[in-house]
Amino acid sequence: MGIDFSKPKTVTPEAIAELNAELAEMSPRAILKFALSNFSNAAISFSGAEDVALIELSHKLTDDLKVFSLDTGRLHPETYRFIDQVRKHYGIDIELMAPNQDKLEAFVKEKGLFSFYEDGHKECCSIRKVRPLRRKLATLDAWITGQRKDQSPGTRSEVAVVELDNANAKEGGILVKFNPLANWSSKEVWDYLRMSEVPTNELHQKGFISIGCEPCTRPVLPNQHEREGRWWWEEETQKECGLHIK
């Protein structure tokens, strides 16, 4: 773990790969402690159950916990209540990142509110999620996500505990991405949440597992994988919104 993050030239893919190998054997809390100790300008990306686990694991590790969430304008009412419950429970600020209003208005005027059912969700997600995310990440040196390997076997099975996020890094900059829960299963996340007695989204009690925007999310049936409830009209390999591209 001898990387000097203040010197970008030392933050090479090879050094990050070595660091990933070391951190992969550690607990999520230890990984978070490393991230928050080495980056004063790091933030947790918050949207779902995994991210509450991250906040619960890390809120005592720093007096300056930074958390942000993407407000697409299409979230369920339950999700907005959930965000506020988490904010109050931990006494933290959760910065809400909204889409660029001019670009969103132009998109809706041209294609309407439900074009994603006809031509795919990528364009809508780009405006409502990806661009606001990149706007936020341009202000950070590191971000922390709740990605797990078992969330989506087709697209996330190789999620690393720590990686360079070249796709979202600002020009000429270094952006490090931590995924402390990469090796946890869904059961481990929920066991931890129940033990910690923290807020969770009401929608989980209604059959929702992976929760996104209201028009693009539905409950799953028994024994269905959690991603079956997202963009169900599209091919399995397309069930990503572009936030976690390589």
Side-chain angles (χ1 to χ4, degrees), residues 107 188 191 201-202:
F107 171 68
E188 287 175 299
D191 284 348
N201 196 320
E202 303 164 45

Side-chain angles (χ1 to χ4, degrees), residues 13-114:
E14 293 76 19
I16 291 293
E18 183 178 342
L19 177 61
N20 177 65
E22 294 182 49
L23 290 179
E25 302 300 319
M26 296 188 176
S27 68
R29 187 179 186 278
I31 297 165
L32 282 162
K33 186 175 182 179
F34 176 88
L36 296 171
S37 297
N38 283 274
F39 292 93
S40 59
N41 190 24
I44 293 174
S45 173
F46 167 71
S47 63
E50 288 79 10
D51 311 313
V52 180
L54 292 175
I55 294 171
E56 174 66 18
L57 284 161
S58 60
H59 79 284
K60 293 181 180 179
L61 296 174
T62 176
D63 294 327
D64 186 29
L65 185 62
K66 299 180 180 69
V67 181
F68 71 92
S69 187
L70 303 178
D71 179 6
T72 65
R74 303 297 294 273
L75 304 179
H76 298 77
E78 292 90 342
T79 298
Y80 287 111
R81 288 197 291 270
F82 168 53
I83 293 171
D84 204 48
Q85 287 168 353
V86 172
R87 179 185 65 81
K88 292 177 180 177
H89 182 83
Y90 291 102
I92 59 174
D93 292 327
I94 298 179
E95 182 181 7
L96 296 179
M97 303 299 299
N100 177 285
Q101 196 61 33
D102 291 339
K103 294 184 182 300
L104 180 58
E105 288 181 359
F107 171 68
V108 172
K109 182 177 181 180
E110 177 187 358
K111 294 198 168 183
L113 288 167
F114 299 97

Side-chain angles (χ1 to χ4, degrees), residues 93-233:
D93 292 327
I94 298 179
E95 182 181 7
L96 296 179
M97 303 299 299
N100 177 285
Q101 196 61 33
D102 291 339
K103 294 184 182 300
L104 180 58
E105 288 181 359
F107 171 68
V108 172
K109 182 177 181 180
E110 177 187 358
K111 294 198 168 183
L113 288 167
F114 299 97
S115 60
F116 38 82
Y117 290 138
E118 300 172 3
D119 57 15
H121 69 275
K122 295 297 176 69
E123 187 175 8
C124 185
C125 282
S126 175
I127 293 171
R128 294 183 184 272
K129 299 174 76 173
V130 177
R131 293 181 188 178
L133 173 71
R134 289 185 176 171
R135 193 169 74 242
K136 177 60 183 176
L137 294 183
T139 71
L140 300 174
D141 298 316
W143 65 306
I144 302 166
T145 89
Q147 284 194 108
R148 305 188 330 268
K149 290 179 180 177
D150 72 343
Q151 274 176 327
S152 183
T155 59
R156 299 190 183 184
S157 60
E158 301 300 323
V159 168
V161 165
V162 58
E163 56 189 330
L164 281 176
D165 188 351
N166 295 318
N168 289 311
K170 57 188 174 184
E171 186 175 354
I174 295 292
L175 181 66
V176 180
K177 181 178 181 182
F178 290 91
N179 307 300
L181 304 179
N183 296 316
W184 267 19
S185 66
S186 177
K187 181 180 184 302
E188 287 175 299
V189 170
W190 278 97
D191 284 348
Y192 180 72
L193 294 176
R194 293 186 181 103
M195 178 188 70
S196 304
E197 299 183 327
V198 298
T200 55
N201 196 320
E202 303 164 45
L203 291 171
H204 291 302
Q205 306 303 317
K206 302 175 182 179
F208 291 80
I209 302 179
S210 178
I211 301 170
C213 290
E214 187 277 333
C216 304
T217 310
R218 68 180 183 181
V220 296
L221 298 172
N223 300 318
Q224 277 191 315
H225 190 273
E226 60 189 81
R227 296 298 275 189
E228 289 293 318
R230 302 289 294 277
W231 306 296
W232 61 90
W233 63 92

